[in-house]
Amino acid sequence: MSFTRQLSEMSASELNDAIDDTNFPQAHILSRGRNNSVCSTSSTSGTSSLADRALSQPEEQPVIPQPGSAVGTPTDELVPSSGATNRRRLILKTNGSIPENDGTQPTTPMTPRTSTTPGHEKCTFHHDLELDHKPPTREALLPDMARSYRLLLGGLGENPDRQGLIKTPERAAKAMLYFTKGYDQCLEDVLNGAVFDEDHDEMVVVKDIEMFSMCEHHLVPFYGKVSIGYLPCNKILGLSKLARIVEIFSRRLQVQERLTKQIAVAVTQAVQPAGVAVVVEGVHMCMVMRGVQKINSKTVTSTMLGVFRDDPKTREEFLNLVNSK
């Protein structure tokens, strides 16, 4: 199973479990296996409070592997740096091992099922990632989506055949495909080899990356800005690729907490840095247009991995750079 495809299906808690940062010097004083995203709702960005996190005693959370899934393995790789001390990489690795079946879980076929497998002759799309036949192109989905939008208009009491709405179903279907184009993108394609060997181990920060996404709970937009920082271990990433990583995961049906974690994990997978920090500030139309209707509220989430989680000074430096004008 492709790690990138598996990553896109993970929840925030599953992504947290997939990250191995136990090999960092101060990891023993940090909480393990918790959701480290911090959310606040206020009229200001609220990121200054992130530096005041309380460090708690570790709580061991066993990772229960699922059949067919790749389980993260501990790493302890020292990388020489130009400074006086060596810095450890933050690495995501999978060993591809599959635990023995105790009889309570369905077995996985030894070979991938295809459209010629009995019972799958008419399959055109699957959510089962073990299947090797791909869904139709997104353009091929337009007719069915347009018909669905037409039914929706009729359900609202509108006349889909009136002049202003004749082409609306098709336009809405095309717009939805564009809003969710991240499903057709993967990390390897976006990086396109833009990872470079460079003797640089100081912080790299790209802030205020514009982000547009779709709330998966109400199918309405949320938008905002993303700031990403990482500490290289002799590998750097093309700056525009950080913005493209944001595009991959934001152009899907999302929740902001998971989006924040996915961006951090993707940067880790790309260059194995000593640490990654991501802060997302978003405005959710599901809070503005409906429900509580609080138009000035903003939601701030963060994910800190590696030295950004371990070292308060490093985290504070990042947050100061993000908040500076």
Side-chain angles (χ1 to χ4, degrees):
M1 183 188 299
S2 168
F3 179 81
T4 304
R5 295 188 67 187
Q6 179 188 4
L7 172 66
S8 67
E9 301 296 327
M10 287 183 177
S11 66
S13 59
E14 290 170 333
L15 283 166
N16 194 58
D17 289 337
I19 299 167
D20 172 45
D21 58 355
T22 57
N23 57 333
F24 290 93
Q26 299 179 5
H28 65 283
I29 64 172
L30 297 164
S31 176
R32 185 75 177 101
R34 294 180 177 178
N35 187 345
N36 293 284
S37 297
V38 175
C39 304
S40 63
T41 303
S42 65
S43 58
T44 59
S45 65
T47 52
S48 59
S49 63
L50 298 178
D52 300 326
R53 285 187 184 160
L55 300 179
S56 60
Q57 197 67 19
E59 297 179 6
E60 292 297 328
Q61 298 287 341
V63 177
I64 302 175
Q66 299 296 326
S69 65
V71 181
T73 57
T75 61
D76 192 18
E77 182 177 348
L78 280 173
V79 178
S81 66
S82 58
T85 59
N86 287 333
R87 179 175 287 161
R88 298 179 184 273
R89 290 181 186 268
L90 177 59
I91 301 177
L92 266 173
K93 287 186 177 180
T94 55
N95 57 20
S97 61
I98 301 176
E100 294 184 1
N101 194 340
D102 60 1
T104 62
Q105 300 292 339
T107 57
T108 300
M110 295 300 294
T111 57
R113 290 169 287 182
T114 69
S115 57
T116 60
T117 303
H120 294 267
E121 295 86 355
K122 297 182 179 181
C123 292
T124 58
F125 179 69
H126 283 282
H127 292 287
D128 188 344
L129 298 182
E130 296 168 0
L131 299 173
D132 62 355
H133 53 293
K134 297 181 179 180
T137 62
R138 291 170 72 78
E139 290 74 15
L141 300 174
L142 282 173
D144 287 341
M145 292 180 65
R147 281 192 291 270
S148 297
Y149 275 111
R150 183 179 175 87
L151 290 174
L152 177 61
L153 291 173
L156 293 174
E158 273 285 1
N159 176 15
D161 294 320
R162 70 177 176 85
Q163 184 178 7
L165 294 178
I166 290 178
K167 294 186 178 180
T168 294
E170 183 179 351
R171 286 192 292 258
K174 289 180 179 179
M176 182 58 71
L177 287 181
Y178 183 82
F179 298 154
T180 59
K181 65 179 181 178
Y183 287 119
D184 287 339
Q185 298 174 322
C186 67
L187 183 62
E188 291 81 0
D189 293 340
V190 166
L191 293 181
N192 195 26
V195 177
F196 308 102
D197 295 326
E198 189 68 34
D199 185 19
H200 181 79
D201 61 355
E202 298 298 327
M203 191 181 302
V204 178
V205 176
V206 178
K207 66 178 186 177
D208 295 338
I209 302 170
E210 294 167 341
M211 172 273 298
F212 301 91
S213 191
M214 294 286 289
C215 169
E216 67 181 36
H217 298 148
H218 302 97
L219 295 185
V220 294
F222 67 93
Y223 62 93
K225 295 181 179 180
V226 180
S227 295
I228 305 173
Y230 71 98
L231 279 171
C233 284
N234 301 319
K235 286 184 180 295
I236 61 173
L237 185 62
L239 296 179
S240 67
K241 303 306 179 183
L242 293 173
R244 293 191 183 279
I245 288 174
V246 174
E247 280 287 293
I248 292 177
F249 297 105
S250 63
R251 294 295 186 173
R252 301 177 181 187
L253 302 183
Q254 278 287 11
V255 294
Q256 185 173 324
E257 296 86 344
R258 183 172 67 239
L259 172 62
T260 309
K261 182 73 71 175
Q262 286 179 330
I263 294 170
V265 171
V267 175
T268 300
Q269 185 73 8
V271 290
Q272 294 87 47
V276 179
V278 179
V279 172
V280 180
E281 179 182 295
V283 176
H284 292 249
M285 301 309 291
C286 56
M287 288 184 63
V288 174
M289 297 177 63
R290 57 167 298 283
V292 293
Q293 300 183 43
K294 302 300 182 183
I295 63 174
N296 292 319
S297 66
K298 294 181 180 180
T299 300
V300 179
T301 53
S302 76
T303 295
M304 305 287 171
L305 305 179
V307 293
F308 289 95
R309 185 191 293 185
D310 297 348
D311 186 359
K313 291 184 178 180
T314 303
R315 181 166 62 248
E316 183 179 4
E317 179 185 353
F318 168 74
L319 293 173
N320 287 338
L321 290 172
V322 168
N323 291 327
S324 64
K325 300 299 181 181

